[in-house]
C-alpha cells in the first residue's frame, strides 16, 4: 500500500541549530514533493515545492532535497528560531492539478 | 495579498442535520480543493474542481457533495451529519493555467457535530 512517513512525530532542537526533517515514501512515483507548515488550528502554509527532476531547492533559511531513488526528501531549516516551531507536513502530488497526499507531519519545537 | 476565504469559520450542527461550507479562492485561481482534517490527523483530500468541473475525487462520503460555481467559489454540502464528521475542513486553491502547482489553503471551517 502507499505510505508517506515523516521521521518522527516530534523533534526538539536548540535555537540556532539546523533542523532536519525526513520524508520517506513507498509505492509512489510523485512528480512533485512539497513541504507545508501548519500551526495549531490553522491551514497549511506552502513553503517549498521540488520537482522529480530537481535535486535541491532553497529559499532563505530553508532547503529541500529530493532523491527519487531513495524515495526520500530532506527538509532543512538553518539557524532555527523559536518562531519556526510548528508542524511540518511533507506532501506528494502527481500532476499540477492533482490532490496532495500528506504525510503525518513532524512537530518541531525550537527551544531558546 | 488576497488569500483563500472560507465561511463560516465555526459551525455547530446536530446529528442528521445538513451543513454547507463555502470557499472563495484566490482571484484568478482556477482550481479548488477540499480537505478534511480530524483531530491529530493529517489533511485528507476530499474533492477538487478545475474550471468548474470535478477534476479528482478522494475519500469523500456519498453524503457529501460539492460544486464550483461560475465565479469560481465552491461549496461543500454535507448531509445526514454524523459525530465523526467533526473536523477542520480546509479549502485550497491553485492556478493551473499559470503553471503554479502549490496550493494555498484557507483558514478552515471547524465543524462540530453534537
Amino acid at each position: 500500500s502507499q505510505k508517506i512517513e515523516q521521521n518522527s512525530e516530534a523533534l526538539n532542537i536548540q535555537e540556532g541549530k539546523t533542523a532536519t526533517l525526513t520524508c520517506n515514501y513507498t509505492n509512489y512515483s510523485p512528480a512533485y514533493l512539497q513541504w507545508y507548515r501548519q500551526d495549531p488550528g490553522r491551514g497549511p502554509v506552502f513553503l517549498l515545492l521540488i520537482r522529480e527532476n530537481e535535486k535541491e531547492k532553497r529559499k532563505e533559511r530553508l532547503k529541500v532535497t529530493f532523491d527519487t531513488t531513495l524515495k526520500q526528501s530532506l527538509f532543512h531549516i538553518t539557524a532555527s528560531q523559536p518562531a519556526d516551531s510548528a508542524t511540518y507536513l511533507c506532501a506528494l502530488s502527481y500532476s499540477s492539478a492533482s490532490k496532495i497526499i500528506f504525510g503525518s507531519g513532524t512537530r518541531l519545537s525550537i527551544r531558546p | 495579498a488576497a488569500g483563500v476565504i472560507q465561511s463560516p469559520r465555526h459551525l455547530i450542527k446536530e446529528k442528521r442535520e445538513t451543513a454547507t461550507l463555502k470557499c472563495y479562492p484566490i482571484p484568478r485561481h482556477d482550481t479548488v480543493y477540499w480537505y478534511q482534517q480530524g483531530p491529530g490527523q493529517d489533511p485528507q483530500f476530499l474533492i477538487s474542481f478545475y474550471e468548474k468541473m470535478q477534476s479528482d475525487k478522494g475519500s469523500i462520503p456519498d453524503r457529501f457533495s460539492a460544486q464550483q460555481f461560475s465565479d469560481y467559489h465552491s461549496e461543500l454540502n454535507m448531509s445526514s451529519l454524523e459525530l465523526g464528521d467533526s473536523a477542520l475542513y480546509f479549502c485550497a486553491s491553485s492556478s493551473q493555467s499559470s503553471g503554479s502547482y502549490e496550493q494555498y489553503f484557507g483558514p478552515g471551517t471547524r465543524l462540530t457535530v453534537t
Side-chain angles (χ1 to χ4, degrees), chain A residues 5-67:
Chain A
E5 287 185 336
Q6 295 192 234
N7 57 327
S8 57
E9 265 192 44
L11 185 64
N12 296 288
I13 68 167
Q14 184 75 41
E15 180 178 7
K17 302 288 186 185
T18 295
T20 298
L21 283 63
T22 305
C23 174
N24 294 290
Y25 57 93
T26 57
N27 298 325
Y28 283 113
S29 295
Y32 309 97
L33 189 144
Q34 305 180 43
W35 284 87
Y36 287 78
R37 168 185 172 141
Q38 187 173 29
D39 292 284
R42 294 179 173 267
V45 175
F46 171 76
L47 296 175
L48 279 170
L49 177 149
I50 189 165
R51 291 173 170 76
E52 61 180 335
N53 60 350
E54 296 176 319
K55 296 292 185 189
E56 182 179 300
K57 188 78 76 79
R58 291 176 187 259
K59 179 183 175 183
E60 298 171 352
R61 294 184 296 112
L62 310 179
K63 184 177 86 171
V64 172
T65 63
F66 192 11
D67 188 326

Side-chain angles (χ1 to χ4, degrees), chain B residues 76-110:
Chain B
L76 178 66
N77 298 294
M78 311 159 73
S79 62
S80 303
L81 287 169
E82 302 173 356
L83 295 178
D85 296 329
S86 295
L88 265 171
Y89 289 83
F90 292 108
C91 170
S93 71
S94 68
S95 175
Q96 270 197 77
S97 55
S98 69
S100 167
Y101 308 137
E102 60 266 26
Q103 296 182 16
Y104 294 88
F105 283 75
T109 294
R110 183 175 295 280

Side-chain angles (χ1 to χ4, degrees), chain B residues 4-73:
Chain B
V4 176
I5 297 170
Q6 291 188 245
S7 67
R9 294 293 310 277
H10 302 273
L11 192 57
I12 299 175
K13 291 285 186 179
E14 294 188 355
K15 277 180 9 180
R16 292 180 287 278
E17 285 192 319
T18 62
T20 297
L21 279 55
K22 296 186 179 182
C23 169
Y24 298 86
I26 291 172
R28 291 178 293 283
H29 277 195
D30 48 30
T31 308
V32 166
Y33 311 80
W34 285 97
Y35 293 85
Q36 177 191 59
Q37 187 173 29
Q41 306 291 314
D42 53 279
Q44 295 291 315
F45 171 75
L46 293 177
I47 195 166
S48 63
F49 293 87
Y50 168 65
E51 287 290 345
K52 292 152 278 185
M53 299 288 289
Q54 182 181 307
S55 54
D56 203 352
K57 196 170 181 180
S59 50
I60 183 169
D62 292 340
R63 300 177 289 109
F64 295 5
S65 65
Q67 57 182 323
Q68 187 179 29
F69 295 86
S70 57
D71 64 351
Y72 292 95
H73 95 272

